[in-house]
């Protein structure tokens, strides 16, 4: 047989957790055709000597719904070995929605997921109303990686209810319209149904996003509708029952009953938080309770701290504060001049040193700083607490922050952890039997956080540096484990007949690079960009998408359909 692509001399880490083995991998027609010693020819050959050959990584939690229209590659996930993503999480999708009503879905997305409205208006070519029509558009778009999508509750509500979705409970007629559209979306190929119940998801005018107005009866009805038409994943941004045992029991019972009665797997992300470190274990152990009752519930675990990246070229915690607001609205060069002015500096430092009395930050927005929890971020693995930096300099942390920014021409980041501050808890979450390692949020919080690198962080930090996992264990976490959780039976393992989504990388050098700020979104909007080191080839459906993080020009990605799809 003549192969389309041949990967020779590498060590295969096949995604099952089994020990690596030396073998060649032959690819034909987008599938893995043979594994072993291969002497036949190929149209293209990769020499993987000194490297490992693994399945492409699968990320179950992204928000690339808008980005896919202006970024065919799939950044920044593609730079970190991700070849398949699930988008439309947390109830936020662009469909169903007619173009004339686009403001309704923009209202749900712009603050909750930090997606600039101007970028969405300029970058999206609206060609749909129903979710089925939307999937057809996604299917036809040139894509670097593979995409599956939930149908989002907030979009479904605004489609059925219009403006009332932000203020009212659904009527029986509203619910019927939602159910019919959900049924058709599942038959068209939606991966599942998603919603948000978290207080962190707000509109720009401080109102709850549309899905948060729904009562639990509405949620239950929609999930059971999905179950009746063949099933799908129910993903939610979780409620916060807090420390109340009764509220937690009520919430957990509702989730358990829904998983069992609907037959649909339930999933949510759950980090730890330093103000309540005792809360997260119960959310993971619930997976065991649901399994014992006959249902499925799995928890999405991150591989590191979730942090807002602060910069004087993007956002600081003080941008809306008195005095700061006037300075930060100036062009960058003028800001630098003003911050060097002794009187302006004095006022800035004075204001930022006072207790904060403004509105509470939501989502990944910058918080008023606790200086023992803000880091000067010099590079991956090279950081120092700002409280320590200020002590060394003999100044207030605010003054140290300004001085460092000026010394570096504003080209510096400060990291502000929002969750998963305790790395021992992070490790326990990843090792929990009911967890899957995912939750990059790629495509959302584009100028706030940079978690698309959670997979390369897992391999560099937890495998190579900490030796908390073997390479084989870690690869399994982000390939077959995630693929199986989302019902993707044709990927996640290096095996004959499987999709040829494959990585070739050096386990001794793989790591995320330093993030950078770029202004390349539609309308000139800003985002964080982060590439990686160590991945020599990213292969999607048998074609090389990236060589050493550089695009080849191929765009082999495809639409991934859910379990209820009808041909």
């Amino acid at each position: 047989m003549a192969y389309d692509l041949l990967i020779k001399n590498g060590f295969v880490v096949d995604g099952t957790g089994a020990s690596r083995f030396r073998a060649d991998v032959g690819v034909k027609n987008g599938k893995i055709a043979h594994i072993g010693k291969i002497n036949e020819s190929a149209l293209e050959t990769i020499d993987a000597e000194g490297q490992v050959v693994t399945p492409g990584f699968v990320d179950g939690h992204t928000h690339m719904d808008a980005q896919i229209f202006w970024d065919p590659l799939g950044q920044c996930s593609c730079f970190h070995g991700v070849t398949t993503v699930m988008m439309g999480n947390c109830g936020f999708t662009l469909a169903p929605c007619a173009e004339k009503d686009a403001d309704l879905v923009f209202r749900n997305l712009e603050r909750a997921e930090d997606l600039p409205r101007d970028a969405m208006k300029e970058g999206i070519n609206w060609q749909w109303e129903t979710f089925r029509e939307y999937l057809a558009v996604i299917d036809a778009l040139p894509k670097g990686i593979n995409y599956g999508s939930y149908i989002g509750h907030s979009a479904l509500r605004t489609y059925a209810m219009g403006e009332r979705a932000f203020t009212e409970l659904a009527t029986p007629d509203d619910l019927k319209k939602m159910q019919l559209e959900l049924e058709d979306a599942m038959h068209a190929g939606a991966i599942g149904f998603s919603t948000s119940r978290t207080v962190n998801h707000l509109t720009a005018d401080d109102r709850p996003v549309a899905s948060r107005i729904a009562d639990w009866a509405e949620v239950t009805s929609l999930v059971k509708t999905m179950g009746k038409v063949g099933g799908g994943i129910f993903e939610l941004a979780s409620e916060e029952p807090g420390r109340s045992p009764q509220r937690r029991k009520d919430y957990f019972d509702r989730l358990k009953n829904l998983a069992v009665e609907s037959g649909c797997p339930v999933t949510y992300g759950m980090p730890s938080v330093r103000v309540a470190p005792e809360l997260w274990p119960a959310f993971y152990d619930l997976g065991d309770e649901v399994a014992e009752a006959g249902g499925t519930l799995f928890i999405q675990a991150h591989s590191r701290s979730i942090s807002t990246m602060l910069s004087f070229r993007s956002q600081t915690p003080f941008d809306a504060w008195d005095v700061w607001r006037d300075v930060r609205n100036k062009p960058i060069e003028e800001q630098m001049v003003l911050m060097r002015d002794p009187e302006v500096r004095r006022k800035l430092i004075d204001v930022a040193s006072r207790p904060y009395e403004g509105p509470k930050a939501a989502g990944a927005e910058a918080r008023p700083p606790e200086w023992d929890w803000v880091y000067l971020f010099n590079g991956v693995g090279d950081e120092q607490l700002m409280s320590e930096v200020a002590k060394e300099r003999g100044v207030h942390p605010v003054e140290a922050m300004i001085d460092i920014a000026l010394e570096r021409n504003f080209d510096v980041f400060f990291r502000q952890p929002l969750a998963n501050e305790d790395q021992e808890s992070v490790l326990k979450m990843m090792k929990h039997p009911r967890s899957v390692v995912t939750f990059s949020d790629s495509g959302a919080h584009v100028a706030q956080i940079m978690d698309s690198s959670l997979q390369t962080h897992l391999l560099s930090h937890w495998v190579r540096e900490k030796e908390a996992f073997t390479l084989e264990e870690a690869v399994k976490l982000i390939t077959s484990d995630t693929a199986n959780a989302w019902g993707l039976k044709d990927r996640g393992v290096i095996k004959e007949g499987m999709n040829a989504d494959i990585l070739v990388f050096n386990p001794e050098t793989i790591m995320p690079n330093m993030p950078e700020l770029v202004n390349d979104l539609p309308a000139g909007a800003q985002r964080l960009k982060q590439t990686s080191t160590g991945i020599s080839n990213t292969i999607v459906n048998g074609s090389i998408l990236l060589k050493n993080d550089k695009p080849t020009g191929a765009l082999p990605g495809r639409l991934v359909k859910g379990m209820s799809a009808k041909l």
Side-chain angles (χ1 to χ4, degrees):
M1 177 189 294
Y3 296 97
D4 298 327
L5 179 66
L6 180 56
I7 306 168
K8 292 188 68 68
N9 306 319
F11 280 91
V12 174
V13 178
D14 68 4
T16 67
S19 298
R20 70 194 77 181
F21 57 94
R22 193 173 184 91
D24 304 330
V25 179
V27 174
K28 184 76 174 178
N29 298 326
K31 301 287 186 180
I32 298 172
H34 187 63
I35 303 166
K37 182 63 177 175
I38 300 176
N39 296 316
E40 290 91 342
S41 62
L43 297 177
E44 188 166 8
T45 299
I46 295 170
D47 184 2
E49 184 69 46
Q51 301 179 84
V52 295
V53 180
T54 77
F57 305 150
V58 177
D59 190 342
H61 194 114
T62 78
H63 292 275
M64 299 169 84
D65 313 66
Q67 178 182 316
I68 193 174
F69 288 92
W70 59 75
D71 168 29
L73 276 181
Q75 302 175 65
C76 291
S77 291
C78 67
F79 297 135
H80 300 276
V82 174
T83 56
T84 299
V85 300
M86 298 297 114
M87 57 185 182
N89 284 272
C90 306
F92 302 127
T93 51
L94 298 173
C97 181
E99 184 173 14
K100 65 180 177 62
D101 298 321
D103 176 73
L104 297 175
V105 294
F106 291 166
R107 201 182 307 172
N108 286 313
L109 285 163
E110 62 183 336
R111 181 180 182 192
E113 298 301 336
D114 183 38
L115 289 171
R117 178 181 288 250
D118 289 345
M120 290 191 285
K121 290 175 68 175
E122 182 176 308
I124 297 172
N125 180 18
W126 212 281
Q127 305 171 63
W128 64 86
E129 178 173 345
T130 67
F131 194 83
R132 177 181 289 276
E133 292 166 343
Y134 167 77
L135 281 188
V137 172
I138 298 300
D139 196 15
L141 283 176
K143 300 175 286 295
I145 60 176
N146 305 305
Y147 294 85
S149 181
Y150 294 95
I151 177 172
H153 193 183
S154 282
L156 189 59
R157 279 195 120 238
T158 54
Y159 175 71
M161 302 172 63
E163 285 284 349
R164 292 186 299 112
F166 293 96
T167 56
E168 298 179 15
L169 295 177
T171 67
D173 286 344
D174 295 332
L175 185 57
K176 183 63 175 177
K177 185 173 183 179
M178 284 189 268
Q179 289 170 327
L180 290 173
E181 175 61 16
L182 175 58
E183 287 178 8
D184 190 60
M186 298 309 299
H187 288 322
I191 209 78
F193 168 69
S194 68
T195 193
S196 173
R197 309 284 293 175
T198 176
V199 296
N200 286 309
H201 285 155
L202 299 169
T203 63
D205 57 356
D206 289 321
R207 292 192 294 169
V209 296
S211 67
R212 287 181 53 201
I213 304 302
D215 58 18
W216 189 252
E218 177 180 319
V219 174
T220 299
S221 175
L222 292 169
V223 176
K224 288 183 177 180
T225 296
M226 179 169 63
K228 289 175 183 176
V229 299
I233 309 294
F234 173 48
E235 185 274 339
L236 72 160
S238 195
E239 294 180 19
E240 295 97 352
R243 289 187 167 97
S244 166
Q246 187 55 49
R247 285 201 305 269
R248 186 169 68 186
K249 182 180 185 305
D250 169 71
Y251 179 48
F252 284 5
D253 284 348
R254 284 185 279 127
L255 287 175
K256 179 171 64 176
N257 292 338
L258 183 55
V260 173
E261 293 168 8
S262 70
C264 295
V266 175
T267 184
Y268 48 75
M270 184 64 194
S272 65
V273 289
R274 68 178 185 272
V275 295
E278 76 281 6
L279 294 184
W280 71 263
F283 282 80
Y284 283 70
D285 293 341
L286 178 61
D288 294 326
E289 293 180 36
V290 172
E292 289 172 5
T296 299
L297 184 146
F298 61 94
I299 303 88
Q300 300 168 38
H302 208 290
S303 68
R304 67 176 182 205
S305 296
I306 300 171
S307 301
T308 297
M309 302 302 291
L310 308 174
S311 169
F312 282 81
R313 291 192 179 272
S314 57
Q315 60 165 346
T316 78
F318 316 112
D319 293 347
W321 296 21
D322 290 343
V323 184
W324 283 83
R325 180 171 51 247
D326 294 335
V327 172
R328 293 288 286 148
N329 283 331
K330 305 282 187 186
I332 290 292
E333 296 302 323
E334 290 185 39
Q335 290 184 43
M336 292 181 183
V337 171
L338 288 169
M339 289 184 188
R340 287 187 173 98
D341 179 278
E343 183 59 20
V344 174
R345 281 172 61 89
R346 184 190 65 76
K347 291 179 180 178
L348 291 172
I349 294 167
D350 178 61
V351 169
S353 302
R354 300 174 193 164
Y356 177 67
E357 297 178 349
K360 184 179 179 181
E365 294 169 348
R367 273 85 167 134
E370 298 174 59
W371 294 109
D372 285 333
W373 288 101
V374 177
Y375 295 83
L376 170 60
F377 190 77
N378 294 312
V380 178
D382 180 10
E383 56 185 9
Q384 185 179 8
L385 281 171
M386 280 302 297
S387 57
E388 297 174 358
V389 172
K391 186 175 181 180
E392 290 173 1
R393 289 175 173 243
V395 297
H396 190 281
V398 178
E399 186 170 3
M401 192 176 187
I402 293 172
D403 287 342
I404 292 166
L406 290 170
E407 291 163 8
R408 303 189 190 184
N409 199 38
F410 280 11
D411 292 322
V412 61
F413 288 110
F414 303 88
R415 184 174 71 85
Q416 184 178 45
L418 306 175
N420 274 1
E421 300 93 340
D422 175 25
Q423 294 305 286
E424 285 302 311
S425 292
V426 170
L427 183 58
K428 289 176 182 176
M429 289 181 215
M430 290 192 291
K431 291 197 170 192
H432 195 284
R434 300 295 174 183
S435 75
V436 291
V437 178
T438 187
F439 211 90
S440 73
D441 257 358
S442 281
H445 312 295
V446 292
Q448 296 174 331
I449 66 174
M450 177 38 66
D451 285 351
S452 299
S453 55
L454 77 86
Q455 290 86 5
T456 48
H457 178 79
L458 171 68
L459 297 172
S460 61
H461 178 75
W462 291 111
V463 174
R464 192 168 63 243
E465 296 175 19
K466 296 297 185 181
E467 299 181 342
F469 298 98
T470 66
L471 179 63
E472 289 83 354
E473 289 169 338
V475 167
K476 180 176 182 289
L477 291 177
I478 49 180
T479 58
S480 65
D481 281 1
T482 42
N484 289 335
W486 272 271
L488 309 178
K489 304 303 183 184
D490 58 357
R491 66 200 68 213
V493 177
I494 300 292
K495 180 182 176 183
E496 292 176 7
M498 300 291 271
N499 278 15
D501 296 341
I502 302 171
L503 298 182
V504 181
F505 66 85
N506 186 337
E508 299 304 318
T509 62
I510 190 170
M511 66 178 294
N513 293 328
M514 183 72 172
E516 59 180 320
L517 282 163
V518 295
N519 293 78
D520 64 355
L521 296 184
Q526 190 178 64
R527 70 179 176 104
L528 285 158
K529 178 181 178 180
Q530 187 176 35
T531 59
S532 71
T533 295
I535 303 176
S536 65
N537 289 270
T538 302
I539 301 159
V540 179
N541 296 313
S543 296
I544 302 174
L545 173 67
L546 302 171
K547 280 184 170 287
N548 297 309
D549 260 3
K550 305 299 182 194
T552 64
L555 294 172
R558 297 174 187 162
L559 177 68
V560 177
K561 293 189 175 184
M563 63 183 71
S564 297
K566 291 187 175 180
L567 299 178

